[in-house]
């Protein structure tokens, strides 16, 4: 009863949220300043099980909080010992739930809104009655969990090529408004890593680029955009994941930068995020010997989380771990110790523990033994509640299910995505002046090459989309599979070949490009993910980088290829042996 009374007081402490059009709030609803003393009273009123539960953000299977499909109910039973997501929230007094497409959480806008509301009702009716902070990995570009009809924007490196803080903020503002309409108030974006390693297998185009000052400016813009829309932004992956050659999902990367290099290259975007008022910073599961020689991953490193992020950068918000089911954090200590060590390092939110029951019990036991104090747990819970209050969750945690279709994927939002994408496509080479293609002559074009799976499962295939968009602009374009393209190439005005992360040395993509060039038909290379591909392939008649392969990037590329838009993108990373940072041609 005390918890409910304190929760009501905390709710009353948060003023009404301003609308995005409020002239006092040019960035949109700020959520106001929460009454810290009333939130302290709420924290003090909570029992230890409820407090510890607030630290955890877990996956849950199913499209519905209370009525999942049978297969999802079985997954919940097998992994959590409950049938539904609502029961999971109640059992562990969860502070948050993270949505994934593979967990069947993201079928449609109305379904997501209903799921969010069901989870919030479960939270309101159990434990301390504290609303959930629902979250998602919606970076856009290569990493997106929610697909059409939600608006999909170009990813970070494409925005880096556009070089427009206004465009980056606009993308985050619109994307954030759609997440808020779905009941999601925390996004694990923007990526603040500075990608200086072309071989980086996990960051790459998820980064804005290799120039720390440019990355810092765009990170700051996106923080303001997301949070102006009422969604907590999350700058990641501290202290910087941009120069690794191991994917922390499957191994433990090591950053070899010196302390001076970290201060010059990796720190500036995180410092900019903190200055912009970012709600959350996510840690990296990487070893960084120059910052902590212990060999512990940054997520478990007190010198990094507390010493650098809290003390050096002055960050006072929530620190969330990267997912605890990733190999990079599990290898040294095991799943029982990791949550406790993360809290001792200075983390607040524990994301997606592989065995939630084990992790929850381990934190409770650590408090019982004195390894962790209740006061330490309360510190983290208070920070988490402050974010929830700033983002309006104590005012109204529910999505408006009747209005969600009018708020997500609107014509105005889709136009904004196309406008932002228009400045991102980069013309890398055009030695013969082949581009722009003269659409008025209705040239016959062949589109072929890589067709990577859509990040959301709702767009593409990219070659078909590119062919369709070229045809809509006046060309006669068709898409063919690579095994048929070489024989079909003669008689076409040009062949556009899409490439995707071409490796060094021989391989099927290199063979395809060489065989197409041998036909004598002009070949246009369209690098649809990493812009490093041209350095690993024979010279083509023209070369373009899109930094992404969802429909919005393919539409932008088609307009540049036909001259409907002039190429405006500039390389946000150098292409070793081929193009410098900032390279980009124009018509």
């Amino acid at each position: 009863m005390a918890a409910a009374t304190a929760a009501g007081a905390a709710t009353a402490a948060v003023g009404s949220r301003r609308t995005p059009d409020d002239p006092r709030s040019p960035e949109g609803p700020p959520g106001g300043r929460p009454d810290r003393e009333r939130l302290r009273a709420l924290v003090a009123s909570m029992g230890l099980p409820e407090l510890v539960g607030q630290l955890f953000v877990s996956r849950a299977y199913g499209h519905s909080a209370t009525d999942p499909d049978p297969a999802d109910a079985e997954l919940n039973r097998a992994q959590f010992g409950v049938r539904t997501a609502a029961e999971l929230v109640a059992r562990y007094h969860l502070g948050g739930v993270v949505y994934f497409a593979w967990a069947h959480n993201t079928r449609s806008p109305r379904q997501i809104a209903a799921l969010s509301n069901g989870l919030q009702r479960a939270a309101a009716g159990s434990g301390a009655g504290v609303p959930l902070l629902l979250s998602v990995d919606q970076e856009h570009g290569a990493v997106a969990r929610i697909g059409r009809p939600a608006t999909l924007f170009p990813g970070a490196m494409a925005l880096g090529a556009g070089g427009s803080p206004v465009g980056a903020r606009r993308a985050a503002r619109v994307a954030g408004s759609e997440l808020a309409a779905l009941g999601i108030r925390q996004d694990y974006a923007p990526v603040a890593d500075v990608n200086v390693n072309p071989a980086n297998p996990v960051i790459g185009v998820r980064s804005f680029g290799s120039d720390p000052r440019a990355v810092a400016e765009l990170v700051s813009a996106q923080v303001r955009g997301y949070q102006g829309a009422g969604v907590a932004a999350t700058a990641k992956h501290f202290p910087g994941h941009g120069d690794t050659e191991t994917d922390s999902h499957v191994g433990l990367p090591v950053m070899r930068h010196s302390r001076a290099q970290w201060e010059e290259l990796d720190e500036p975007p995180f410092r900019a995020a903190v200055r912009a008022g970012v709600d959350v910073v996510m840690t990296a599961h990487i070893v960084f010997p120059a910052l902590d020689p212990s060999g512990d991953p940054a997520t478990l490193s007190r010198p990094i989380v507390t010493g650098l992020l809290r003390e050096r950068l002055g960050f006072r918000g929530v620190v969330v771990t990267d997912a605890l089911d990733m190999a990079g954090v599990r290898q040294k200590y095991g799943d029982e110790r990791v949550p406790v060590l993360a809290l001792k390092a200075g983390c607040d939110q524990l994301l997606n523990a592989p065995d939630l029951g084990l992790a929850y019990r381990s934190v409770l036991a650590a408090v019982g033994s004195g390894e962790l104090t209740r006061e330490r747990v309360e510190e983290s819970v208070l920070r988490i509640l402050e974010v929830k209050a700033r983002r309006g969750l104590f005012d109204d945690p529910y999505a408006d299910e009747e209005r969600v279709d009018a708020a997500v994927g609107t014509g105005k939002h889709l136009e904004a995505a196309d406008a932002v994408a228009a400045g991102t496509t980069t013309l890398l080479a055009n030695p013969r002046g082949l581009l722009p293609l003269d659409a008025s002559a209705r040239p016959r074009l062949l589109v072929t090459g890589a067709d990577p799976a859509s990040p959301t499962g709702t767009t593409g295939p990219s070659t078909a989309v590119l062919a369709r968009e070229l045809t809509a602009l006046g060309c006669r374009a068709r898409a063919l599979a690579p095994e048929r393209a070489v024989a079909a190439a003669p008689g076409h005005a040009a062949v556009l070949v899409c490439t995707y992360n071409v490796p060094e040395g021989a391989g099927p993509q290199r063979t395809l490009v060489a065989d197409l060039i041998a036909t004598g038909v002009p070949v246009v290379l369209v690098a649809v993910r990493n812009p490093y591909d041209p350095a690993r392939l024979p010279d083509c008649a023209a070369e373009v980088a899109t930094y992404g392969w969802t429909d919005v990037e393919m539409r932008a590329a088609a307009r540049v290829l036909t001259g409907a838009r002039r190429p405006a993108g500039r390389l946000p990373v150098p292409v070793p042996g081929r193009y410098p940072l900032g390279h980009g041609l124009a018509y």
Side-chain angles (χ1 to χ4, degrees), residues 106-251:
T106 58
R107 291 182 179 177
S108 71
R110 280 209 177 203
Q111 168 269 316
I112 297 170
L115 173 62
S116 297
N117 287 344
L119 292 171
Q120 293 291 9
R121 284 191 291 270
S126 64
V130 176
L132 292 161
L133 189 56
L134 301 174
S135 59
V136 72
D137 228 355
Q138 190 80 351
E139 297 172 11
H140 292 264
V143 175
R145 312 302 186 198
I146 302 171
R148 292 185 303 190
T151 305
L152 296 171
F153 280 88
M157 192 170 284
L159 296 176
S164 169
V166 172
R169 186 173 65 183
R170 185 182 187 190
R173 176 72 175 275
V174 171
S177 73
E178 294 197 358
L179 292 178
L182 300 172
I184 299 169
R185 300 291 180 84
Q186 181 178 12
D187 191 12
Y188 298 125
V191 171
D193 304 314
V194 180
N195 198 79
V196 295
N197 187 345
N200 194 321
V202 67
I203 303 301
V205 294
R206 298 169 62 197
S207 163
F208 291 108
S210 64
D211 180 342
R213 289 174 295 279
V215 173
E217 191 172 23
L218 295 175
V219 165
S220 179
Q222 289 228 298
V223 166
R224 292 188 169 98
Y226 280 118
Q227 295 186 178
V231 170
T234 305
K236 62 186 188 184
H237 309 78
F238 190 82
H241 208 320
D243 193 10
T244 59
E245 295 187 2
T246 301
D247 183 345
S248 51
H249 293 83
V250 297

Side-chain angles (χ1 to χ4, degrees), residues 424-488:
T424 64
T425 305
T426 305
L427 178 60
L428 299 173
N430 193 26
R432 303 188 220 165
L434 175 66
L435 300 180
L437 301 165
D438 184 3
S440 66
R442 302 194 69 239
R444 292 184 66 227
L445 304 175
L446 182 63
V447 182
T448 189
D451 258 331
S454 166
T456 65
T458 64
T459 65
S462 51
T463 57
V465 172
L466 183 57
R468 183 187 71 213
E469 296 297 329
L470 290 167
T471 298
L473 290 165
C475 303
R476 292 175 293 161
R478 62 173 177 155
L480 274 183
E483 58 269 21
R484 298 174 57 198
V486 174

Side-chain angles (χ1 to χ4, degrees), residues 54 89-90 97 162 261 266 340 372 387 404 413 415 444 498 584:
Q54 284 296 306
V89 169
V97 172
Q261 286 176 311
D266 305 295
V340 175
L372 288 171
V387 169
V404 68
H413 289 178
E415 288 173 6
R444 292 184 66 227
C498 295

Side-chain angles (χ1 to χ4, degrees), residues 362-511:
S362 72
V363 175
L364 284 174
V367 178
S369 71
E371 184 178 8
L372 288 171
T373 65
R374 178 183 168 106
E375 289 72 26
R376 169 65 193 89
V377 174
E378 286 184 347
E379 287 177 10
S380 286
V381 174
L382 181 60
R383 293 187 192 108
I384 293 165
L385 296 191
E386 286 182 314
V387 169
K388 292 181 179 185
R390 276 199 298 275
R391 298 305 142 215
L393 287 166
F394 285 99
D395 290 335
D396 182 8
Y398 297 104
D400 188 336
E401 295 178 43
E402 297 304 314
R403 296 188 59 191
V404 68
D405 289 335
V408 175
T410 67
K412 184 178 288 188
H413 289 178
L414 296 173
E415 288 173 6
D418 280 331
V420 169
T424 64
T425 305
T426 305
L427 178 60
L428 299 173
N430 193 26
R432 303 188 220 165
L434 175 66
L435 300 180
L437 301 165
D438 184 3
S440 66
R442 302 194 69 239
R444 292 184 66 227
L445 304 175
L446 182 63
V447 182
T448 189
D451 258 331
S454 166
T456 65
T458 64
T459 65
S462 51
T463 57
V465 172
L466 183 57
R468 183 187 71 213
E469 296 297 329
L470 290 167
T471 298
L473 290 165
C475 303
R476 292 175 293 161
R478 62 173 177 155
L480 274 183
E483 58 269 21
R484 298 174 57 198
V486 174
H492 288 85
V495 177
L496 291 83
V497 57
C498 295
T499 63
Y500 181 92
N501 292 5
V502 177
E504 297 281 2
Q509 293 190 81
R510 183 179 179 87
T511 298

